[in-house]
Amino acid sequence: MKALILVGGYGTRLRPLTLSCPKPLVEFGNKPMLLHQLEALSEAGVKHIILAVSYRAEQMEKELKNVEEKLGVKISISLESEPLGTAGPLALASKYLTVDNDPFFVLNSDVICEFPFKEMIQFHKHHGKEGTIIVTKVEEPSKYGVVVYDAETGKINRFVEKPQEYVSNKINAGLYIFSPSMLNRIELKPTSIEKEVFPAMAKDGHLYAMELQGFWMDVGQPKDFLTGMCMYLTSLRQKNPGCLYQGPGVVGNVLVDPSAQIGKNCRIGPNVTIGPNVVIEDGVCMKKCTVLNGAHIKSHSWLETCIIGWKCVIGRWVRMENVSVLGEDVSVNDELYVNGGRILPHKAISDSVPDPQIIM
Amino acid sequence: MALKTIILIGGPMKGTRFRPLSLDLPKPLFPVAGFPVIYHHIEAASKVPNMKEIILIGFYQAQEDLTKFIINVQHEFKIQVRYLQEYTSLGTAGGIYHFRDQILMGNPEYFFVMNSDVCGDFPLVEMLEFHKHRPAGTFCTILGTEATRQQSLNYGCLAENKDTSEVLHYVEKPETFISTTINCGIYLCSPCIFEPLKRIFKQNLEENYNFDFNTPNKEVIRMEQDIFVPLASTGKLYVFHTTRFWSQIKSAGAVIYANRHYLELYRDTHPDRLAKNGEGKPKVIGDVFIHSSAQVHPTAVLGPNVSIGKNVMIGDGVRVRDSIILEGAMLQDHCCILNSIIGWNSTVGMWSRVEGTPNDPNPNKPFAKLETLSMFDDHGKLNPSITVIGSNVQVPPEVIILNSMVLPHKELSGCCKNQIIM
C-alpha cells in the first residue's frame, strides 16, 4: 500500500521553531512530527510513502534515509515547483499512486491522533466507492467546515462552511483513503481538495465519512501544539503508561527522555514533555510545556504553556507563560517575565516581555 | 548650650498617597532599612552634641505603636522623646507655635524642625555650625539642595544671595522656574522665630475671627507660605546647601528608593546592620538588612536593596530584590519578589512572582529627584509603580502580581496586573 503526506511549505505557523528545523522534524512528544505518521502507516502495512513538499530541506531528506531503513519503507519526495494546494500534489504524484489498483492514504501532515489506518482500509473496501474521509467531533462546529453524512452508512451528503445554524458537529480530520480512479478528478494545477474535489465526489455519491475514535488535533500552530501534546500524553497513559515518567515531584502525564536530568524539589507536570539532553535544575515548576533537545532550565523558574526550543537557556526565577515559544538557542536572563513572547532563534533576552509580542 | 529637635509627624489624613501601607501604621513609623522613617531622624538628631529633647508634633490619636516606638527610642538613644498632640491639624508651623512653651522650656539655644516625610543623610551638625555664624537675630536656616529645573517646580524654591547665603526670595511650588535650590523640609530655628510666628498667628486671628459659626477660624500656620515667603530678603532667613542623599517620601515607591539609600549609608554608619555572606546563610547581594528574628532559608538569594522585617519566614530558593518585606510575612519556596513591598503577616505562595516597576530618578540627569507620579495616566490607566501588598493578604501559589496595589485582608484568587484590588 501507499500513502501521500501533504507536507507543504515552510511551516510558518509554527515559527519560530520552523526557522531552525523543517516542520516535519519538530519533535512532538519527543518524536519528529512526521515520524508519528510514518510509524503508524508502516504499522498498517504501507510500504511506499510519498511526501508532497513545496521546498527541499536537506536535513529532512537525510533524516528520512534513516527512517526508511528503520521502518523498512520506501520514502519518495514529490517536489512541487509551485504550490499546488491540497489536491494538486495528488496529480503530481499520480505515477506513484497508480502503480497498482490498491487504495492509497492521503494525510495532512499536522494531524495528531490515534491513526485508524487499518479500520480505514476495511471501511473503504466495505463501501467500495472512490473515497473515505475521517471526520472528528468538535465542540464548536461554527468555526469549521462541517460534514453532513448519513449516520448509518457514512455516505456524505454535503459540506457546510462555518455553519451559522447547527447542521453537524463533525469536521474533516485531514486523513483520507482513496481508490486510484479518484485521481481522474484532479488536474495538475493548484486545487483545493476540500473545496473543489470533495463536494463533487459527494455529489456523485463517491465519498464516505468514518468517525474517528479518540483524540484529534491539528498541531500546526503553537497553542494547538501544546493542546495536542496534552491529548497525546493522555492517550499514552492509556495505551503505554510504561513510557511515561515516574519520579519525585512529577504530577500527571509527563514524558521525559532518559538522557534528561531533573533536579531536586521540582514540580513537573501535568502535561510536560522533556527532550533529550535537557537539564532541569532544582526547584523548577513546569506545566503544559514542551522542552526540546539540549535546553537548560535553571533553578526556581516557573513555566506554563511554553515551547522551549533546542539549546535554550532559561535563567533562574524566570516566569514564562501564555504560549511563549522560544526558537533555537535563545537565552533568557535571570528573574525575567515572559508573557506570550515568540522569540526568534539565537536571541539573548535581557528585559521582561510583559505583553505578548514577537521578539525579532 | 541646649538644643532640641521637633519632628512634624502629621496625622491620619496625611500620607494618603502612602496607602494601603498607611492603613495599618502611621506613615512616620513605616520601616525603611529596618527602622521606622522617623527613627532615622531621631538617630541623626541624637548625634548632635547637647541635644536635650526630641519632640514629635502631630495629630495622631495617642496609640500603641507610637507609644511603644517612643519608649524604644528613648531607651536606645538615651534622650527624652515626647509626643505632643495637636487638637486639630495646625499646619507645619501652627503646631510649633501652639506648643511654644514646651519647646522653649529649658531655654534651648536653637531647635531643629524636621518634616517626617523626607529622608536623607541629614547634615545637622554642619547646619548648626553654619547657623551659629549667621548674623545675630537670624530666625532660621533652611536646608536646601539642588533639583533639576523641571522638578524644582514641585518643591519650595528659594533664591539666595550667593555671597551671604541669605534667602532673597521664596515660593512654594512655583508655576514658573525660580531657582534650582529647593527646600529640604529641615530647618534650624532660633527661638526668636516665635516673634514672626506670633505676629502671623495674631494676624490670622484678627483677619479671620468672626462670630459666624459657618466659617471656620483660620488656625493653620504654614511655615513655608506664612513665614518663609514674608521673611525672604529681610536678612533673617538663610540657606545651607547639602549634596548628600535626600528625598521626599510621598508614595510607597519612594520607600524602596529611601530603603536603598539608607542601606547604603549603613556601610559607613552601621556596617553591623548589613547582612553578610557565610556558611549556612542565605546568599546576599549588595546591601541587605535582615532582622535577627527572621528565618531565611540558606538557598534564598536576597538583594541588593532588601529589608527583611521581624519574624519574617523565607523559604527554599526564594529571590528578593529591591523590596521591603514587613514583619510576620511569609515567602514560600521559589517565589520571586522584585520592586515590591510585602505587608505585615502576608503570605506569598510557592513559585509566585510579585513584581513592580521602579520609578527611580533619571541617573543621567544631575540632581534628578524621585518623580512622584500620579497614580493614573491621562487615559485613566494605572501608571506602572512598585507593587504593594497590604497586610494579611494571601497571594496564592504560581501567580504573578504585577504593578498592583492590594488592600489589606484580601485572599487573591489569581494573577493581577496593573490593578488596585480593593
Side-chain angles (χ1 to χ4, degrees):
Chain A
M1 280 194 76
K2 305 161 296 294
L4 177 87
I5 302 179
L6 299 163
V7 173
Y10 293 96
T12 54
R13 291 190 305 160
L14 206 53
R15 281 183 183 167
L17 298 174
T18 46
L19 291 171
S20 312
C21 175
K23 185 176 66 175
L25 297 189
V26 172
E27 295 94 339
F28 176 88
N30 279 349
K31 196 190 286 183
M33 280 167 69
L34 187 64
L35 200 54
H36 289 270
Q37 299 181 329
L38 295 179
E39 284 182 357
L41 287 167
S42 152
E43 179 97 347
V46 172
K47 294 295 175 200
H48 186 193
I49 296 162
I50 303 108
L51 303 182
V53 301
S54 60
Y55 80 113
R56 290 192 66 168
E58 261 179 49
Q59 193 191 348
M60 183 165 81
E61 288 171 24
K62 226 167 88 188
E63 180 68 30
L64 289 173
K65 283 274 175 295
N66 302 331
V67 177
E68 274 188 316
E69 272 178 40
K70 199 176 124 209
L71 297 179
V73 296
K74 181 172 182 307
I75 299 175
S76 306
I77 303 264
S78 172
L79 179 70
E80 301 156 38
S81 50
E82 55 160 342
L84 292 173
T86 45
L90 275 69
L92 187 67
S94 65
K95 66 169 190 263
Y96 298 120
L97 302 173
T98 52
V99 291
D100 55 33
N101 208 30
D102 285 346
F104 58 90
F105 292 106
V106 174
L107 280 66
N108 282 345
S109 68
D110 298 341
V111 167
I112 285 291
C113 64
E114 291 162 13
F115 298 102
F117 294 129
K118 283 179 178 158
E119 295 84 342
M120 284 168 79
I121 299 170
Q122 274 187 348
F123 181 88
H124 186 69
K125 286 190 169 158
H126 181 76
H127 68 67
K129 303 290 186 195
E130 279 182 358
T132 300
I133 73 175
I134 299 299
V135 294
T136 186
K137 196 152 90 180
V138 291
E139 279 186 12
E140 293 182 59
S142 63
K143 288 184 191 165
Y144 305 87
V146 299
V147 183
V148 183
Y149 63 95
D150 184 284
E152 293 267 311
T153 64
K155 188 164 174 282
I156 295 175
N157 297 321
R158 61 193 168 111
F159 295 89
V160 184
E161 252 326 289
K162 301 199 167 103
Q164 293 308 298
E165 264 183 61
Y166 181 88
V167 284
S168 164
N169 58 4
K170 306 294 192 304
I171 65 159
N172 175 354
L175 306 176
Y176 323 120
I177 183 167
F178 300 123
S179 300
S181 60
M182 169 272 189
L183 291 169
N184 299 330
R185 296 175 179 273
I186 301 173
E187 286 175 58
L188 186 59
K189 63 172 191 188
T191 315
S192 161
I193 200 166
E194 298 88 352
K195 297 207 170 74
E196 296 172 61
V197 181
F198 287 165
M201 288 173 76
K203 200 171 153 223
D204 297 345
H206 267 291
L207 199 59
Y208 279 70
M210 181 183 132
E211 193 184 341
L212 182 68
Q213 304 302 312
F215 79 97
W216 175 88
M217 198 61 175
D218 178 335
V219 296
Q221 44 191 343
K223 187 168 185 275
D224 299 334
F225 182 96
L226 290 167
T227 307
M229 186 216 20
C230 299
M231 294 171 165
Y232 174 71
L233 295 185
T234 307
S235 126
L236 278 185
R237 166 70 67 195
Q238 288 155 5
K239 293 260 159 71
N240 187 9
C243 72
L244 292 176
Y245 184 75
Q246 309 257 323
V250 166
V251 181
N253 302 327
V254 174
L255 190 60
V256 179
D257 186 274
S259 63
Q261 298 170 41
I262 298 179
K264 289 175 288 182
N265 299 325
C266 289
R267 195 203 290 159
I268 310 292
N271 301 313
V272 170
T273 302
I274 295 172
N277 309 308
V278 167
V279 177
I280 311 273
E281 291 186 5
D282 296 348
V284 169
C285 181
M286 279 202 277
K287 297 144 101 174
K288 200 173 174 182
C289 288
T290 288
V291 186
L292 298 174
N293 196 338
H296 185 146
I297 317 250
K298 294 190 184 170
S299 296
H300 315 299
S301 282
W302 184 91
L303 289 83
E304 186 180 61
T305 328
C306 298
I307 306 175
I308 309 300
W310 310 270
K311 303 192 209 85
C312 285
V313 179
I314 311 297
R316 302 193 293 167
W317 291 289
V318 166
R319 181 185 177 96
M320 206 179 300
E321 61 185 339
N322 195 14
V323 200
S324 289
V325 184
L326 274 53
E328 183 185 14
D329 180 39
V330 166
S331 69
V332 178
N333 283 6
D334 288 353
E335 299 165 27
L336 296 184
Y337 172 46
V338 178
N339 174 19
R342 304 286 166 93
I343 301 170
L344 270 62
H346 312 294
K347 286 294 287 187
I349 302 296
S350 54
D351 288 303
S352 286
V353 182
D355 295 301
Q357 59 174 300
I358 296 163
I359 311 285
M360 293 289 282
Chain B
M1 186 180 72
L3 296 170
K4 291 195 180 188
T5 295
I6 319 296
I7 302 175
L8 304 171
I9 65 169
M13 62 270 250
K14 296 286 174 187
T16 53
R17 270 183 284 179
F18 207 66
R19 288 174 181 171
L21 297 168
S22 51
L23 293 172
D24 293 278
L25 187 73
K27 178 173 136 181
L29 297 183
F30 186 84
V32 176
F35 297 91
V37 171
I38 54 170
Y39 175 98
H40 298 283
H41 293 64
I42 292 172
E43 184 173 27
S46 72
K47 282 185 185 155
V48 181
N50 301 314
M51 188 61 65
K52 297 293 183 220
E53 186 182 32
I54 293 167
I55 299 172
L56 312 182
I57 294 180
F59 46 100
Y60 286 102
Q61 293 295 323
Q63 53 148 309
E64 205 192 324
D65 291 319
L66 191 55
T67 313
K68 245 164 75 184
F69 170 76
I70 289 170
I71 293 169
N72 288 341
V73 287
Q74 289 201 109
H75 184 76
E76 183 170 348
F77 297 110
K78 312 277 182 268
I79 191 167
Q80 174 160 291
V81 181
R82 286 191 296 155
Y83 173 49
L84 302 179
Q85 190 190 334
E86 298 165 60
Y87 56 95
T88 181
S89 172
L90 293 175
T92 45
I96 294 171
Y97 182 72
H98 183 76
F99 292 115
R100 58 196 179 277
D101 292 342
Q102 304 265 19
I103 293 167
L104 294 175
M105 194 150 55
N107 294 315
E109 207 152 351
Y110 309 110
F111 59 92
F112 287 98
V113 174
M114 305 177 86
N115 280 283
S116 67
D117 62 354
V118 299
C119 61
D121 181 9
F122 304 120
L124 303 184
V125 173
E126 292 82 349
M127 259 179 103
L128 178 63
E129 213 41 50
F130 172 89
H131 189 75
K132 278 182 187 166
H133 292 95
R134 292 312 103 194
T138 294
F139 289 142
C140 181
T141 293
I142 301 172
L143 184 65
T145 193
E146 286 297 296
T148 63
R149 283 178 76 97
Q150 179 62 38
Q151 288 183 326
S152 67
L153 307 181
N154 303 319
Y155 296 89
C157 291
L158 41 91
E160 66 178 311
N161 177 330
K162 293 279 181 206
D163 298 325
T164 62
S165 299
E166 189 199 337
V167 176
L168 299 176
H169 189 63
Y170 186 98
V171 192
E172 190 66 19
K173 294 183 184 146
E175 278 179 26
T176 53
F177 177 71
I178 302 286
S179 157
T180 53
T181 303
I182 60 167
N183 173 1
C184 290
I186 305 290
Y187 318 124
L188 179 54
C189 302
S190 298
C192 52
I193 189 99
F194 285 110
E195 293 164 21
L197 282 174
K198 184 177 181 178
R199 199 167 60 238
I200 299 293
F201 181 76
K202 291 222 160 133
Q203 190 183 315
N204 276 347
L205 271 186
E206 279 160 18
E207 279 176 13
N208 296 291
Y209 201 80
N210 56 49
F211 295 95
D212 176 8
F213 65 89
N214 278 321
T215 44
N217 294 332
K218 188 176 182 292
E219 291 168 301
V220 169
I221 310 177
R222 297 161 305 175
M223 187 67 104
E224 298 75 21
Q225 292 92 330
D226 297 331
I227 308 295
F228 292 162
V229 170
L231 282 187
S233 273
T234 61
K236 305 281 187 190
L237 202 57
Y238 290 84
V239 56
F240 176 76
H241 287 266
T242 181
T243 51
R244 298 193 206 169
F245 149 61
W246 176 87
S247 177
Q248 283 188 325
I249 308 182
K250 294 278 192 200
S251 63
V255 173
I256 299 289
Y257 178 72
N259 192 58
R260 174 183 312 133
H261 284 281
Y262 274 131
L263 288 173
E264 198 182 318
L265 289 183
Y266 287 171
R267 291 185 204 168
D268 291 328
T269 59
H270 297 284
D272 53 305
R273 286 183 188 166
L274 294 173
K276 284 161 197 71
N277 282 301
E279 191 71 25
K281 288 181 178 172
K283 180 164 188 225
V284 166
I285 301 168
D287 301 328
V288 173
F289 171 86
I290 304 175
H291 193 276
S292 56
S293 62
Q295 292 180 42
V296 185
H297 195 277
T299 57
V301 180
L302 311 178
N305 182 25
V306 166
S307 291
I308 306 292
K310 223 185 198 175
N311 299 321
V312 165
M313 309 256 283
I314 295 185
D316 185 351
V318 168
R319 177 75 179 104
V320 186
R321 169 162 60 81
D322 293 297
S323 295
I324 297 177
I325 313 301
L326 296 169
E327 183 173 342
M330 194 197 298
L331 308 182
Q332 293 178 342
D333 298 357
H334 318 295
C335 72
C336 181
I337 315 290
L338 309 172
N339 295 301
S340 298
I341 297 172
I342 307 297
W344 301 273
N345 306 310
S346 287
T347 303
V348 178
M350 288 170 84
W351 280 297
S352 274
R353 180 183 180 96
V354 179
E355 181 178 10
T357 302
N359 67 328
D360 283 0
N362 184 345
N364 303 318
K365 271 194 180 169
F367 311 120
K369 302 280 174 283
L370 197 71
E371 289 281 358
T372 308
L373 287 172
S374 64
M375 225 162 170
F376 300 96
D377 67 12
D378 296 341
H379 308 287
K381 277 170 79 178
L382 201 60
N383 276 320
S385 67
I386 70 153
T387 286
V388 181
I389 306 287
S391 66
N392 299 287
V393 168
Q394 308 287 321
V395 177
E398 300 181 41
V399 299
I400 179 166
I401 310 296
L402 184 65
N403 300 338
S404 293
M405 303 265 169
V406 183
L407 270 61
H409 299 283
K410 282 297 286 189
E411 212 168 295
L412 297 179
S413 55
C415 296
C416 41
K417 296 180 183 176
N418 310 303
Q419 275 180 296
I420 300 174
I421 309 288
M422 291 289 281

